[in-house]
C-alpha cells in the first residue's frame, strides 16, 4: 500500500513536468489569476514574464502587472504561480494586468528571442560596463557582440542630466545552470543533462588553466555553489568581472574573485584555483560525469522512479526542460526516497533584477538568442492550442 502511495505521489509530482497536456501560448488581457504566488520577479512585458514562468521549475501560470496599472505603484511585476491541479483556482477581471500559462508543455519548448526594445523603461542594476553610443541601436549591437551582456539601458539625447546622455549601460545575468545548493550526501548521484548549454559556443577549443591545491586569498566578488572546479571555471568565464576563482571541494563553493592588478597564490590542500576563458570553447566533457555522493538540492520540476542513476541522467538529457538531476539509490537511509530521479532546472534567460519607469531611456536585450529562437517560435505558432 505504501509503495502504491509513493508511486501516486511521484506521478503527481511528475505533473510538474507537463502541468497540462496542452500548449496554451495565449495571453488573457485584463484578467487576474489571484493568489497561489510562488515568487515575483520583474519583466518588461507579458511575453518576458511568460518565458520566466516557463523556465522556473515549478511555475504553471502567471499574472503580469503592466505599465498602465493604476491601483498602486507596482509596475512590471511578474507573479509566478502554481496549484496542485496545474490550473488557476480562480480567475477575475482586473484592469492593468495580463495573465497566461507556462510554455513547458509546448513542443518544442520555445527559446526566448526578446527582440523588443522598451521606451521610457529602465532595467535597473546589474551594470558591469558603460560606454557612449550614438543611439540605442548601437547600444544593442554592443550588447549583442559582448558575450557577457544580456540586456542594456541607453540614455537618450534629451535626458535630464546632460552628462548622462548617450550613455549605454551593459548588464549581466546568469545564463549558466546553477544548482541552488550542492552538498555531499551518501548514496545520491547528481549531474547535468548532456544537452545543458554552458555559455556561448566558440570554434576555437581550449583547456583552461587550473592550479591544484592552490588558493588565491581576498578579492571576493561572489560565492556560488558549484559541482567541480570545471563548473566553477565556467561560472567565472561567464561573469564579466571575474578575473580568477577558487573552488573548495569540501563545501562545493565557487568563490569568484576580481582584481585586474595582481593575483597572489598560496598553497592550500583541497582547493583548486584557476583563470577564466572567454573567447574559446572550454572542454565540456565534465558535464557528462555522474557525481557520486553529491546532492543537487532544490529547483525540482518533479520526479520519477527509475532503476539506476544512468537512466536518470539519460531521461534528464531527453527532457528539454531538465538541466540537472539528482538520483537517490536504495542505499539512502530513508526508504521513502529510494529510486527517485529528480528533474531540475533554474532560470537562465536574461532577467533584469528590477524594471522601472524612467523618462528618456530605452532598454532591451541582447539579440544573441534570436537566431536559435527563430525555429522554435515558428514551430510554436503552428501548434498553438487554447484552453
Amino acid at each position: 500500500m505504501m509503495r502504491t502511495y509513493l508511486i501516486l505521489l511521484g506521478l503527481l509530482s511528475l505533473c510538474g513536468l507537463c502541468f497540462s497536456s496542452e500548449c496554451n501560448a495565449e495571453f488573457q488581457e485584463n484578467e487576474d489569476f489571484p493568489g497561489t504566488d510562488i515568487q515575483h520577479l520583474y519583466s518588461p512585458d507579458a511575453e518576458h514574464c511568460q518565458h520566466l514562468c516557463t523556465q522556473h521549475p515549478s511555475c504553471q501560470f502567471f499574472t503580469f502587472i503592466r505599465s498602465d496599472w493604476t491601483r498602486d505603484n507596482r509596475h512590471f511585476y511578474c507573479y509566478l504561480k502554481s496549484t496542485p491541479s496545474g490550473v488557476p483556482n480562480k480567475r477575475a477581471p482586473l484592469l492593468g494586468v495580463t495573465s497566461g500559462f507556462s510554455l513547458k508543455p509546448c513542443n518544442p519548448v520555445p527559446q526566448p528571442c526578446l527582440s523588443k526594445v522598451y521606451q521610457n523603461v529602465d532595467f535597473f542594476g546589474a551594470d558591469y560596463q558603460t560606454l557612449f553610443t550614438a543611439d540605442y541601436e548601437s547600444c544593442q549591437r554592443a550588447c549583442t557582440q559582448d558575450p557577457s551582456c544580456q540586456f542594456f539601458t541607453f540614455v537618450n539625447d534629451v535626458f535630464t542630466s546632460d552628462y548622462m546622455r548617450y550613455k549605454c549601460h551593459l548588464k549581466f545575468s546568469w545564463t549558466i545552470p546553477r544548482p541552488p545548493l550542492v552538498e555531499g550526501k551518501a548514496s545520491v548521484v547528481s549531474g547535468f543533462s548532456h544537452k545543458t548549454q554552458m555559455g556561448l559556443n566558440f570554434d576555437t577549443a581550449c583547456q583552461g588553466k587550473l592550479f591544484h591545491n592552490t588558493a588565491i586569498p581576498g578579492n571576493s566578488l561572489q560565492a556560488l555553489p558549484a559541482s567541480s572546479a570545471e563548473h566553477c571555471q565556467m561560472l567565472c568565464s561567464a561573469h564579466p568581472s571575474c578575473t580568477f576563482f577558487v573552488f573548495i571541494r569540501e563545501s562545493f563553493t565557487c568563490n569568484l574573485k576580481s582584481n585586474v592588478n595582481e593575483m597572489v597564490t598560496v598553497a592550500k590542500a583541497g582547493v583548486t584555483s584557476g583563470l577564466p576563458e572567454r573567447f574559446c570553447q572550454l572542454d565540456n566533457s565534465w558535464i557528462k560525469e555522474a557525481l557520486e555522493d553529491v546532492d543537487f538540492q532544490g529547483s525540482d520540476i518533479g520526479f520519477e522512479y527509475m532503476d539506476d542513476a544512468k537512466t536518470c541522467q539519460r531521461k534528464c538529457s531527453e527532457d528539454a526542460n531538465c538541466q540537472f538531476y539528482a538520483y537517490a539509490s536504495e542505499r539512502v537511509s530513508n526508504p521513502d526516497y529510494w529510486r527517485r530521479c529528480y528533474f531540475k532546472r533554474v532560470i537562465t534567460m536574461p532577467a533584469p533584477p528590477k524594471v522601472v519607469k524612467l523618462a528618456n531611456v530605452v532598454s532591451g536585450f541582447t539579440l544573441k538568442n534570436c537566431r536559435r529562437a527563430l525555429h522554435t517560435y515558428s514551430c510554436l505558432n503552428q501548434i498553438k492550442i487554447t484552453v
Side-chain angles (χ1 to χ4, degrees), residues 172 174 176 178 216-226 228-248 253-259 272 274-276 278:
F172 169 78
W174 286 108
I176 304 292
R178 307 160 323 283
I216 306 173
N219 306 300
S220 295
L221 175 66
Q222 187 176 359
L224 298 165
S228 64
E230 290 80 7
H231 187 203
C232 187
Q233 184 175 48
M234 196 68 71
L235 292 169
C236 182
S237 300
H239 197 294
S241 300
C242 184
T243 54
F244 40 85
F245 67 89
V246 174
F247 175 70
I248 304 172
T253 302
C254 175
N255 291 304
L256 306 185
K257 297 175 178 268
S258 182
N259 187 334
T272 301
L275 305 176
R278 293 199 168 87

mmCIF file of all heavy atoms in Angstrom, residues 172 174 176 178 216-226 228-248 253-259 272 274-276 278:
data_model
loop_
_atom_site.group_PDB
_atom_site.id
_atom_site.type_symbol
_atom_site.label_atom_id
_atom_site.label_comp_id
_atom_site.label_asym_id
_atom_site.label_seq_id
_atom_site.Cartn_x
_atom_site.Cartn_y
_atom_site.Cartn_z
ATOM 1 N N PHE A 172 24.413 42.340 -16.924
ATOM 2 C CA PHE A 172 24.681 40.896 -16.870
ATOM 3 C C PHE A 172 23.640 40.167 -16.033
ATOM 4 O O PHE A 172 23.185 40.658 -15.006
ATOM 5 C CB PHE A 172 26.072 40.678 -16.259
ATOM 6 C CG PHE A 172 26.366 39.240 -15.897
ATOM 7 C CD1 PHE A 172 26.728 38.324 -16.872
ATOM 8 C CD2 PHE A 172 26.268 38.802 -14.582
ATOM 9 C CE1 PHE A 172 26.996 37.009 -16.548
ATOM 10 C CE2 PHE A 172 26.540 37.483 -14.244
ATOM 11 C CZ PHE A 172 26.905 36.583 -15.228
ATOM 12 N N TRP A 174 22.840 35.651 -15.133
ATOM 13 C CA TRP A 174 23.405 34.312 -15.337
ATOM 14 C C TRP A 174 22.690 33.541 -16.433
ATOM 15 O O TRP A 174 21.460 33.489 -16.472
ATOM 16 C CB TRP A 174 23.331 33.510 -14.039
ATOM 17 C CG TRP A 174 24.329 33.949 -13.015
ATOM 18 C CD1 TRP A 174 24.078 34.627 -11.855
ATOM 19 C CD2 TRP A 174 25.752 33.753 -13.065
ATOM 20 N NE1 TRP A 174 25.252 34.860 -11.179
ATOM 21 C CE2 TRP A 174 26.297 34.343 -11.894
ATOM 22 C CE3 TRP A 174 26.616 33.151 -13.979
ATOM 23 C CZ2 TRP A 174 27.667 34.336 -11.618
ATOM 24 C CZ3 TRP A 174 27.970 33.143 -13.706
ATOM 25 C CH2 TRP A 174 28.489 33.728 -12.541
ATOM 26 N N ILE A 176 24.289 30.390 -17.077
ATOM 27 C CA ILE A 176 24.841 29.070 -16.756
ATOM 28 C C ILE A 176 23.955 28.404 -15.714
ATOM 29 O O ILE A 176 23.637 29.014 -14.695
ATOM 30 C CB ILE A 176 26.272 29.204 -16.179
ATOM 31 C CG1 ILE A 176 27.176 29.970 -17.149
ATOM 32 C CG2 ILE A 176 26.854 27.827 -15.858
ATOM 33 C CD1 ILE A 176 27.475 29.263 -18.418
ATOM 34 N N ARG A 178 22.857 26.741 -12.487
ATOM 35 C CA ARG A 178 23.492 26.781 -11.172
ATOM 36 C C ARG A 178 22.582 26.102 -10.153
ATOM 37 O O ARG A 178 21.589 26.690 -9.726
ATOM 38 C CB ARG A 178 23.746 28.230 -10.726
ATOM 39 C CG ARG A 178 24.512 29.040 -11.734
ATOM 40 C CD ARG A 178 24.365 30.535 -11.567
ATOM 41 N NE ARG A 178 23.058 30.998 -11.148
ATOM 42 C CZ ARG A 178 21.994 31.092 -11.930
ATOM 43 N NH1 ARG A 178 22.058 30.740 -13.208
ATOM 44 N NH2 ARG A 178 20.856 31.532 -11.472
ATOM 45 N N ILE A 216 43.740 31.550 -3.713
ATOM 46 C CA ILE A 216 44.018 32.945 -4.033
ATOM 47 C C ILE A 216 43.241 33.783 -3.018
ATOM 48 O O ILE A 216 42.025 33.955 -3.158
ATOM 49 C CB ILE A 216 43.606 33.302 -5.475
ATOM 50 C CG1 ILE A 216 44.253 32.341 -6.478
ATOM 51 C CG2 ILE A 216 43.981 34.743 -5.797
ATOM 52 C CD1 ILE A 216 43.775 32.525 -7.906
ATOM 53 N N PRO A 217 43.879 34.274 -1.977
ATOM 54 C CA PRO A 217 43.157 34.977 -0.913
ATOM 55 C C PRO A 217 42.594 36.321 -1.377
ATOM 56 O O PRO A 217 43.125 36.973 -2.276
ATOM 57 C CB PRO A 217 44.237 35.192 0.165
ATOM 58 C CG PRO A 217 45.378 34.303 -0.216
ATOM 59 C CD PRO A 217 45.312 34.157 -1.700
ATOM 60 N N GLY A 218 41.480 36.726 -0.691
ATOM 61 C CA GLY A 218 40.917 38.054 -0.893
ATOM 62 C C GLY A 218 40.261 38.263 -2.234
ATOM 63 O O GLY A 218 40.022 37.328 -3.002
ATOM 64 N N ASN A 219 39.913 39.529 -2.505
ATOM 65 C CA ASN A 219 39.352 39.958 -3.803
ATOM 66 C C ASN A 219 38.028 39.280 -4.141
ATOM 67 O O ASN A 219 37.729 39.012 -5.310
ATOM 68 C CB ASN A 219 40.357 39.703 -4.931
ATOM 69 C CG ASN A 219 41.709 40.325 -4.664
ATOM 70 O OD1 ASN A 219 41.815 41.534 -4.512
ATOM 71 N ND2 ASN A 219 42.740 39.489 -4.573
ATOM 72 N N SER A 220 37.211 38.980 -3.127
ATOM 73 C CA SER A 220 35.962 38.243 -3.353
ATOM 74 C C SER A 220 34.959 39.068 -4.147
ATOM 75 O O SER A 220 34.777 40.267 -3.923
ATOM 76 C CB SER A 220 35.348 37.839 -2.010
ATOM 77 O OG SER A 220 36.187 36.930 -1.351
ATOM 78 N N LEU A 221 34.316 38.425 -5.084
ATOM 79 C CA LEU A 221 33.281 39.033 -5.920
ATOM 80 C C LEU A 221 31.918 38.426 -5.612
ATOM 81 O O LEU A 221 30.951 39.130 -5.336
ATOM 82 C CB LEU A 221 33.633 38.842 -7.394
ATOM 83 C CG LEU A 221 32.616 39.303 -8.434
ATOM 84 C CD1 LEU A 221 32.461 40.814 -8.382
ATOM 85 C CD2 LEU A 221 33.047 38.860 -9.838
ATOM 86 N N GLN A 222 31.851 37.088 -5.625
ATOM 87 C CA GLN A 222 30.598 36.382 -5.362
ATOM 88 C C GLN A 222 30.900 34.927 -5.049
ATOM 89 O O GLN A 222 31.819 34.344 -5.633
ATOM 90 C CB GLN A 222 29.656 36.479 -6.575
ATOM 91 C CG GLN A 222 28.263 35.925 -6.355
ATOM 92 C CD GLN A 222 27.354 36.132 -7.565
ATOM 93 O OE1 GLN A 222 27.763 36.721 -8.572
ATOM 94 N NE2 GLN A 222 26.130 35.668 -7.474
ATOM 95 N N ALA A 223 30.139 34.347 -4.119
ATOM 96 C CA ALA A 223 30.275 32.928 -3.791
ATOM 97 C C ALA A 223 29.035 32.194 -4.282
ATOM 98 O O ALA A 223 27.904 32.619 -4.025
ATOM 99 C CB ALA A 223 30.452 32.731 -2.289
ATOM 100 N N LEU A 224 29.253 31.081 -5.003
ATOM 101 C CA LEU A 224 28.158 30.311 -5.596
ATOM 102 C C LEU A 224 28.385 28.823 -5.351
ATOM 103 O O LEU A 224 29.533 28.372 -5.248
ATOM 104 C CB LEU A 224 28.104 30.537 -7.112
ATOM 105 C CG LEU A 224 27.838 31.944 -7.625
ATOM 106 C CD1 LEU A 224 28.190 32.022 -9.094
ATOM 107 C CD2 LEU A 224 26.374 32.291 -7.414
ATOM 108 N N PRO A 225 27.313 28.027 -5.289
ATOM 109 C CA PRO A 225 27.502 26.573 -5.285
ATOM 110 C C PRO A 225 28.003 26.107 -6.648
ATOM 111 O O PRO A 225 27.611 26.647 -7.687
ATOM 112 C CB PRO A 225 26.092 26.027 -5.014
ATOM 113 C CG PRO A 225 25.283 27.195 -4.547
ATOM 114 C CD PRO A 225 25.893 28.405 -5.167
ATOM 115 N N ALA A 226 28.880 25.125 -6.657
ATOM 116 C CA ALA A 226 29.384 24.548 -7.913
ATOM 117 C C ALA A 226 29.707 23.080 -7.675
ATOM 118 O O ALA A 226 30.052 22.674 -6.561
ATOM 119 C CB ALA A 226 30.593 25.295 -8.427
ATOM 120 N N SER A 228 32.104 21.283 -9.354
ATOM 121 C CA SER A 228 33.500 20.924 -9.614
ATOM 122 C C SER A 228 34.284 22.180 -9.945
ATOM 123 O O SER A 228 33.706 23.264 -10.169
ATOM 124 C CB SER A 228 33.586 19.948 -10.793
ATOM 125 O OG SER A 228 33.117 20.573 -11.988
ATOM 126 N N ALA A 229 35.605 22.029 -10.004
ATOM 127 C CA ALA A 229 36.446 23.160 -10.401
ATOM 128 C C ALA A 229 36.133 23.593 -11.828
ATOM 129 O O ALA A 229 36.158 24.787 -12.151
ATOM 130 C CB ALA A 229 37.914 22.778 -10.274
ATOM 131 N N GLU A 230 35.805 22.634 -12.692
ATOM 132 C CA GLU A 230 35.475 22.957 -14.086
ATOM 133 C C GLU A 230 34.168 23.752 -14.171
ATOM 134 O O GLU A 230 34.049 24.683 -14.984
ATOM 135 C CB GLU A 230 35.378 21.684 -14.914
ATOM 136 C CG GLU A 230 36.704 20.978 -15.148
ATOM 137 C CD GLU A 230 37.162 20.140 -13.948
ATOM 138 O OE1 GLU A 230 36.392 19.988 -12.967
ATOM 139 O OE2 GLU A 230 38.306 19.638 -13.988
ATOM 140 N N HIS A 231 33.192 23.373 -13.353
ATOM 141 C CA HIS A 231 31.937 24.121 -13.294
ATOM 142 C C HIS A 231 32.204 25.538 -12.798
ATOM 143 O O HIS A 231 31.682 26.523 -13.341
ATOM 144 C CB HIS A 231 30.953 23.402 -12.368
ATOM 145 C CG HIS A 231 29.575 24.002 -12.360
ATOM 146 N ND1 HIS A 231 28.699 23.827 -11.312
ATOM 147 C CD2 HIS A 231 28.908 24.765 -13.258
ATOM 148 C CE1 HIS A 231 27.575 24.449 -11.565
ATOM 149 N NE2 HIS A 231 27.675 25.032 -12.746
ATOM 150 N N CYS A 232 33.039 25.666 -11.773
ATOM 151 C CA CYS A 232 33.413 26.968 -11.226
ATOM 152 C C CYS A 232 34.120 27.815 -12.288
ATOM 153 O O CYS A 232 33.857 29.019 -12.411
ATOM 154 C CB CYS A 232 34.292 26.769 -9.996
ATOM 155 S SG CYS A 232 34.674 28.280 -9.077
ATOM 156 N N GLN A 233 34.998 27.188 -13.059
ATOM 157 C CA GLN A 233 35.689 27.911 -14.127
ATOM 158 C C GLN A 233 34.697 28.421 -15.169
ATOM 159 O O GLN A 233 34.841 29.535 -15.693
ATOM 160 C CB GLN A 233 36.718 27.002 -14.786
ATOM 161 C CG GLN A 233 37.560 27.704 -15.842
ATOM 162 C CD GLN A 233 38.646 26.802 -16.400
ATOM 163 O OE1 GLN A 233 38.380 25.661 -16.766
ATOM 164 N NE2 GLN A 233 39.869 27.294 -16.436
ATOM 165 N N MET A 234 33.673 27.620 -15.467
ATOM 166 C CA MET A 234 32.660 28.049 -16.418
ATOM 167 C C MET A 234 31.884 29.249 -15.882
ATOM 168 O O MET A 234 31.578 30.195 -16.625
ATOM 169 C CB MET A 234 31.707 26.890 -16.712
ATOM 170 C CG MET A 234 30.851 27.078 -17.932
ATOM 171 S SD MET A 234 31.780 27.043 -19.489
ATOM 172 C CE MET A 234 32.211 25.308 -19.582
ATOM 173 N N LEU A 235 31.597 29.244 -14.573
ATOM 174 C CA LEU A 235 30.897 30.371 -13.952
ATOM 175 C C LEU A 235 31.758 31.631 -14.004
ATOM 176 O O LEU A 235 31.268 32.723 -14.330
ATOM 177 C CB LEU A 235 30.534 30.033 -12.503
ATOM 178 C CG LEU A 235 29.476 28.942 -12.315
ATOM 179 C CD1 LEU A 235 29.398 28.519 -10.850
ATOM 180 C CD2 LEU A 235 28.114 29.417 -12.793
ATOM 181 N N CYS A 236 33.041 31.490 -13.693
ATOM 182 C CA CYS A 236 33.949 32.634 -13.744
ATOM 183 C C CYS A 236 34.067 33.164 -15.169
ATOM 184 O O CYS A 236 34.076 34.388 -15.395
ATOM 185 C CB CYS A 236 35.320 32.235 -13.195
ATOM 186 S SG CYS A 236 36.531 33.577 -13.138
ATOM 187 N N SER A 237 34.132 32.274 -16.135
ATOM 188 C CA SER A 237 34.251 32.684 -17.534
ATOM 189 C C SER A 237 33.019 33.438 -18.015
ATOM 190 O O SER A 237 33.110 34.292 -18.902
ATOM 191 C CB SER A 237 34.484 31.455 -18.423
ATOM 192 O OG SER A 237 35.675 30.781 -18.056
ATOM 193 N N ALA A 238 31.863 33.126 -17.423
ATOM 194 C CA ALA A 238 30.614 33.783 -17.831
ATOM 195 C C ALA A 238 30.456 35.153 -17.192
ATOM 196 O O ALA A 238 29.784 36.028 -17.751
ATOM 197 C CB ALA A 238 29.423 32.898 -17.475
ATOM 198 N N HIS A 239 31.035 35.356 -16.009
ATOM 199 C CA HIS A 239 30.851 36.619 -15.292
ATOM 200 C C HIS A 239 31.857 37.654 -15.792
ATOM 201 O O HIS A 239 33.063 37.426 -15.755
ATOM 202 C CB HIS A 239 31.019 36.405 -13.784
ATOM 203 C CG HIS A 239 30.465 37.527 -12.965
ATOM 204 N ND1 HIS A 239 31.000 38.796 -12.976
ATOM 205 C CD2 HIS A 239 29.413 37.577 -12.113
ATOM 206 C CE1 HIS A 239 30.312 39.575 -12.171
ATOM 207 N NE2 HIS A 239 29.340 38.863 -11.631
ATOM 208 N N PRO A 240 31.411 38.815 -16.240
ATOM 209 C CA PRO A 240 32.322 39.779 -16.864
ATOM 210 C C PRO A 240 33.366 40.378 -15.916
ATOM 211 O O PRO A 240 34.406 40.868 -16.369
ATOM 212 C CB PRO A 240 31.378 40.874 -17.383
ATOM 213 C CG PRO A 240 30.159 40.749 -16.535
ATOM 214 C CD PRO A 240 30.019 39.292 -16.242
ATOM 215 N N SER A 241 33.104 40.332 -14.600
ATOM 216 C CA SER A 241 34.029 40.941 -13.648
ATOM 217 C C SER A 241 34.956 39.936 -12.988
ATOM 218 O O SER A 241 35.826 40.315 -12.200
ATOM 219 C CB SER A 241 33.239 41.695 -12.558
ATOM 220 O OG SER A 241 32.447 42.708 -13.126
ATOM 221 N N CYS A 242 34.813 38.657 -13.285
ATOM 222 C CA CYS A 242 35.634 37.628 -12.641
ATOM 223 C C CYS A 242 36.993 37.529 -13.334
ATOM 224 O O CYS A 242 37.070 37.299 -14.540
ATOM 225 C CB CYS A 242 34.916 36.275 -12.688
ATOM 226 S SG CYS A 242 35.805 34.959 -11.825
ATOM 227 N N THR A 243 38.061 37.685 -12.547
ATOM 228 C CA THR A 243 39.412 37.601 -13.114
ATOM 229 C C THR A 243 40.105 36.297 -12.726
ATOM 230 O O THR A 243 41.053 35.890 -13.389
ATOM 231 C CB THR A 243 40.268 38.790 -12.653
ATOM 232 O OG1 THR A 243 40.259 38.866 -11.224
ATOM 233 C CG2 THR A 243 39.730 40.096 -13.219
ATOM 234 N N PHE A 244 39.663 35.646 -11.642
ATOM 235 C CA PHE A 244 40.147 34.323 -11.249
ATOM 236 C C PHE A 244 39.187 33.765 -10.216
ATOM 237 O O PHE A 244 38.269 34.470 -9.764
ATOM 238 C CB PHE A 244 41.591 34.351 -10.717
ATOM 239 C CG PHE A 244 41.925 35.521 -9.831
ATOM 240 C CD1 PHE A 244 41.650 35.501 -8.473
ATOM 241 C CD2 PHE A 244 42.535 36.644 -10.373
ATOM 242 C CE1 PHE A 244 41.972 36.585 -7.671
ATOM 243 C CE2 PHE A 244 42.861 37.732 -9.565
ATOM 244 C CZ PHE A 244 42.578 37.701 -8.205
ATOM 245 N N PHE A 245 39.342 32.506 -9.860
ATOM 246 C CA PHE A 245 38.373 31.858 -8.969
ATOM 247 C C PHE A 245 39.082 30.868 -8.054
ATOM 248 O O PHE A 245 40.211 30.434 -8.301
ATOM 249 C CB PHE A 245 37.289 31.145 -9.771
ATOM 250 C CG PHE A 245 37.798 29.971 -10.562
ATOM 251 C CD1 PHE A 245 37.839 28.698 -10.002
ATOM 252 C CD2 PHE A 245 38.253 30.129 -11.861
ATOM 253 C CE1 PHE A 245 38.326 27.608 -10.721
ATOM 254 C CE2 PHE A 245 38.740 29.051 -12.589
ATOM 255 C CZ PHE A 245 38.781 27.791 -12.013
ATOM 256 N N VAL A 246 38.359 30.494 -6.988
ATOM 257 C CA VAL A 246 38.815 29.468 -6.055
ATOM 258 C C VAL A 246 37.651 28.514 -5.793
ATOM 259 O O VAL A 246 36.562 28.953 -5.411
ATOM 260 C CB VAL A 246 39.305 30.082 -4.728
ATOM 261 C CG1 VAL A 246 39.635 28.992 -3.715
ATOM 262 C CG2 VAL A 246 40.511 30.975 -4.956
ATOM 263 N N PHE A 247 37.887 27.213 -6.014
ATOM 264 C CA PHE A 247 36.863 26.201 -5.764
ATOM 265 C C PHE A 247 37.277 25.360 -4.556
ATOM 266 O O PHE A 247 38.380 24.800 -4.519
ATOM 267 C CB PHE A 247 36.675 25.293 -6.976
ATOM 268 C CG PHE A 247 35.722 24.154 -6.730
ATOM 269 C CD1 PHE A 247 34.371 24.383 -6.585
ATOM 270 C CD2 PHE A 247 36.190 22.843 -6.627
ATOM 271 C CE1 PHE A 247 33.484 23.335 -6.344
ATOM 272 C CE2 PHE A 247 35.319 21.792 -6.391
ATOM 273 C CZ PHE A 247 33.969 22.037 -6.248
ATOM 274 N N ILE A 248 36.369 25.275 -3.567
ATOM 275 C CA ILE A 248 36.606 24.492 -2.353
ATOM 276 C C ILE A 248 35.770 23.221 -2.453
ATOM 277 O O ILE A 248 34.542 23.260 -2.364
ATOM 278 C CB ILE A 248 36.242 25.294 -1.090
ATOM 279 C CG1 ILE A 248 37.018 26.621 -1.072
ATOM 280 C CG2 ILE A 248 36.536 24.479 0.169
ATOM 281 C CD1 ILE A 248 36.594 27.568 0.031
ATOM 282 N N THR A 253 31.966 25.071 -2.913
ATOM 283 C CA THR A 253 31.829 26.522 -3.024
ATOM 284 C C THR A 253 32.752 27.065 -4.107
ATOM 285 O O THR A 253 33.944 26.762 -4.138
ATOM 286 C CB THR A 253 32.168 27.208 -1.688
ATOM 287 O OG1 THR A 253 31.312 26.706 -0.672
ATOM 288 C CG2 THR A 253 31.979 28.722 -1.786
ATOM 289 N N CYS A 254 32.176 27.870 -4.985
ATOM 290 C CA CYS A 254 32.918 28.542 -6.044
ATOM 291 C C CYS A 254 33.027 30.017 -5.681
ATOM 292 O O CYS A 254 32.022 30.747 -5.693
ATOM 293 C CB CYS A 254 32.200 28.370 -7.378
ATOM 294 S SG CYS A 254 32.943 29.264 -8.757
ATOM 295 N N ASN A 255 34.214 30.451 -5.336
ATOM 296 C CA ASN A 255 34.453 31.851 -4.988
ATOM 297 C C ASN A 255 34.994 32.589 -6.202
ATOM 298 O O ASN A 255 36.139 32.364 -6.618
ATOM 299 C CB ASN A 255 35.451 31.949 -3.834
ATOM 300 C CG ASN A 255 34.868 31.444 -2.528
ATOM 301 O OD1 ASN A 255 33.829 31.914 -2.083
ATOM 302 N ND2 ASN A 255 35.532 30.473 -1.920
ATOM 303 N N LEU A 256 34.140 33.438 -6.782
ATOM 304 C CA LEU A 256 34.574 34.277 -7.885
ATOM 305 C C LEU A 256 35.299 35.482 -7.313
ATOM 306 O O LEU A 256 34.869 36.081 -6.331
ATOM 307 C CB LEU A 256 33.368 34.731 -8.719
ATOM 308 C CG LEU A 256 32.450 33.636 -9.247
ATOM 309 C CD1 LEU A 256 31.372 34.243 -10.143
ATOM 310 C CD2 LEU A 256 33.225 32.563 -9.987
ATOM 311 N N LYS A 257 36.396 35.865 -7.964
ATOM 312 C CA LYS A 257 37.236 36.943 -7.449
ATOM 313 C C LYS A 257 37.577 37.924 -8.548
ATOM 314 O O LYS A 257 37.554 37.571 -9.741
ATOM 315 C CB LYS A 257 38.495 36.354 -6.813
ATOM 316 C CG LYS A 257 38.169 35.471 -5.597
ATOM 317 C CD LYS A 257 39.375 34.781 -5.024
ATOM 318 C CE LYS A 257 38.985 33.970 -3.794
ATOM 319 N NZ LYS A 257 39.136 34.725 -2.540
ATOM 320 N N SER A 258 37.874 39.153 -8.126
ATOM 321 C CA SER A 258 38.127 40.206 -9.113
ATOM 322 C C SER A 258 39.260 41.101 -8.654
ATOM 323 O O SER A 258 39.174 41.760 -7.615
ATOM 324 C CB SER A 258 36.865 41.044 -9.324
ATOM 325 O OG SER A 258 37.068 42.033 -10.305
ATOM 326 N N ASN A 259 40.335 41.104 -9.421
ATOM 327 C CA ASN A 259 41.457 42.013 -9.219
ATOM 328 C C ASN A 259 42.245 42.042 -10.516
ATOM 329 O O ASN A 259 42.883 41.059 -10.888
ATOM 330 C CB ASN A 259 42.340 41.562 -8.059
ATOM 331 C CG ASN A 259 43.411 42.583 -7.715
ATOM 332 O OD1 ASN A 259 43.836 43.371 -8.556
ATOM 333 N ND2 ASN A 259 43.862 42.572 -6.466
ATOM 334 N N THR A 272 41.146 24.234 -5.415
ATOM 335 C CA THR A 272 41.603 24.424 -6.793
ATOM 336 C C THR A 272 41.268 25.832 -7.243
ATOM 337 O O THR A 272 40.127 26.281 -7.094
ATOM 338 C CB THR A 272 40.934 23.415 -7.745
ATOM 339 O OG1 THR A 272 41.245 22.083 -7.325
ATOM 340 C CG2 THR A 272 41.416 23.617 -9.176
ATOM 341 N N GLY A 274 41.859 28.912 -10.449
ATOM 342 C CA GLY A 274 42.033 28.935 -11.893
ATOM 343 C C GLY A 274 41.675 30.265 -12.514
ATOM 344 O O GLY A 274 41.290 31.223 -11.823
ATOM 345 N N LEU A 275 41.810 30.296 -13.835
ATOM 346 C CA LEU A 275 41.575 31.505 -14.625
ATOM 347 C C LEU A 275 40.401 31.277 -15.576
ATOM 348 O O LEU A 275 40.168 30.161 -16.043
ATOM 349 C CB LEU A 275 42.826 31.853 -15.433
ATOM 350 C CG LEU A 275 44.125 32.013 -14.637
ATOM 351 C CD1 LEU A 275 45.290 32.260 -15.592
ATOM 352 C CD2 LEU A 275 44.007 33.139 -13.622
ATOM 353 N N PRO A 276 39.665 32.337 -15.907
ATOM 354 C CA PRO A 276 38.559 32.197 -16.865
ATOM 355 C C PRO A 276 39.078 32.138 -18.300
ATOM 356 O O PRO A 276 40.206 32.534 -18.590
ATOM 357 C CB PRO A 276 37.752 33.477 -16.637
ATOM 358 C CG PRO A 276 38.776 34.481 -16.208
ATOM 359 C CD PRO A 276 39.798 33.709 -15.395
ATOM 360 N N ARG A 278 37.346 33.319 -22.028
ATOM 361 C CA ARG A 278 36.142 33.991 -22.520
ATOM 362 C C ARG A 278 35.966 33.927 -24.031
ATOM 363 O O ARG A 278 34.889 34.187 -24.526
ATOM 364 C CB ARG A 278 36.140 35.448 -22.059
ATOM 365 C CG ARG A 278 35.982 35.580 -20.539
ATOM 366 C CD ARG A 278 35.526 36.963 -20.136
ATOM 367 N NE ARG A 278 35.125 36.967 -18.745
ATOM 368 C CZ ARG A 278 35.948 37.173 -17.713
ATOM 369 N NH1 ARG A 278 37.235 37.383 -17.945
ATOM 370 N NH2 ARG A 278 35.501 37.172 -16.474
#
